[in-house]
Amino acid sequence: MLGSRVAGFARGLRSVALASVPGWRGRSFALARATGAPHGGDLQPSACPGPRGRQLSLSAAAVVNSAPRPLQPYLRLMRLDKPIGTWLLYLPCTWSIGLAAEPGCFPDWYMLSLFGTGAILMRGAGCTINDMWDQDYDKKVTRTASRPIAAGDISTFQSFVFLGGQLTLALGVLLCLNYYSIALGAGSLLLVTTYPLMKRITYWPQLALGLTFNWGALLGWSAIKGSCDPSVCLPLYFSGVMWTLIYDTIYAHQDKRDDVLIGLKSTALRFGENTKLWLSGFSVAMLGALSLVGVNSGQTAPYYAALGAVGAHLTHQGCPGWSAMMQSQLTATSNSWAEVILPPQHPG
């Protein structure tokens, strides 16, 4: 259920990306809505029957399952079977590439393709680094125990070699950009390497994830324009960070019980029963920053109409039904938290 909220929110933000492209101004937003990510981040299966009576499926998980068996652990390590994370990394790139396009022109399709390839590779590299750091923790959590390194399907050395291959290919993509963008892209490696460690030392690992995942909001603009325009790129980057804090805090609520047991931290634990209030603040900040982006980049009515649709979606997420869902989760795990955090009670 939480996954569907995240995917739904990604669909809303994608409409902003399309509306910011000058060539799309004045067109129907039904077309923008039609490009939304499928539920849960996976492509929907086809209903066409296979030669042996089985249904053929084009979902990402089915594609990975149909790959040669020796390759499957590596494809799962880079999360090719769960592409929603790749979309979340790619969308900020498309925002800035679209905003940097000349008025009346479509965004640069070559750059969109380059950044799409880079998003797949860097998301895979980030997941590999994360699983290398977290393999001992992953073994203790039901949801992550089947990850290839934790399950023993891939050794640490093999994952390290695989990481080197992904980073080498990503470097090839980066070298296709201008020198400013090459230096800017290289600057993100420190974030990519260290953000998986943040949940060990701070209750704000989602902030570190936001700083990492939204780097493309800076890089996409510089790839088109040759450098960053702070008046556009910084509020766009900030809005992306706020967006990440929203969706990843929601996502973190499903792991909070295990996180308490094994000593990891998250904004879900930090906010607790005040989660809705915090997320409302992040939503207001995100919408304000996106409004500033529109003003500074000279956007017109379609951009602000799409921004209004995003605001409506955020309001819907904060409706009583969502609040009740969050409250039920908080109540369901409160006893287990008390067992871990509070000392035993003795009579008298």
Side-chain angles (χ1 to χ4, degrees), residues 35-105:
T35 61
H39 173 77
D42 289 339
L43 298 175
Q44 299 301 313
S46 168
C48 299
R52 296 184 180 179
R54 296 179 302 173
Q55 288 188 338
L56 295 177
S57 176
L58 294 179
S59 70
V63 171
V64 170
N65 289 335
S66 65
R69 190 169 297 275
L71 292 180
Q72 290 184 20
Y74 294 96
L75 299 181
R76 292 192 175 92
L77 180 60
M78 61 188 302
R79 308 291 199 275
L80 281 187
D81 57 327
K82 299 175 181 178
I84 185 61
T86 302
W87 279 113
L88 295 173
L89 181 62
Y90 180 54
L91 285 175
C93 306
T94 68
W95 301 344
S96 56
I97 292 173
L99 287 166
E102 294 297 325
C105 299

Side-chain angles (χ1 to χ4, degrees), residues 10-20 29 32-33 35 302 306-307 309-310:
R11 291 197 294 271
L13 265 292
R14 189 178 302 179
S15 66
V16 175
L18 287 174
S20 68
F29 285 101
R33 185 178 180 182
T35 61
L307 189 57
V310 172

Side-chain angles (χ1 to χ4, degrees), residues 9 25 30 48 58 68 75 85 90 110 112 129 156 186 188 201 207 214 220 283-284 300-301 327:
F9 194 24
R25 291 173 182 168
C48 299
L58 294 179
L75 299 181
Y90 180 54
Y110 174 68
L112 289 174
I129 293 171
T156 301
S188 69
I201 61 177
L207 177 59
N214 293 282
S283 299
V284 171
T300 54
Q327 185 62 40

Side-chain angles (χ1 to χ4, degrees), residues 251-313:
Y251 182 73
H253 271 278
Q254 72 176 319
D255 285 340
K256 58 192 177 184
R257 181 175 180 177
D258 289 326
D259 287 345
V260 169
L261 292 173
I262 61 181
L264 298 180
K265 302 176 175 67
S266 72
T267 50
L269 295 175
R270 171 66 179 82
F271 302 157
E273 295 183 356
N274 295 319
T275 292
K276 184 181 176 182
L277 181 63
W278 280 92
L279 297 189
S280 297
F282 296 147
S283 299
V284 171
M286 185 193 76
L287 292 171
L290 287 174
S291 298
L292 182 60
V293 169
V295 171
N296 291 343
S297 61
Q299 295 301 306
T300 54
Y303 178 90
Y304 296 104
L307 189 57
V310 172
H313 183 78

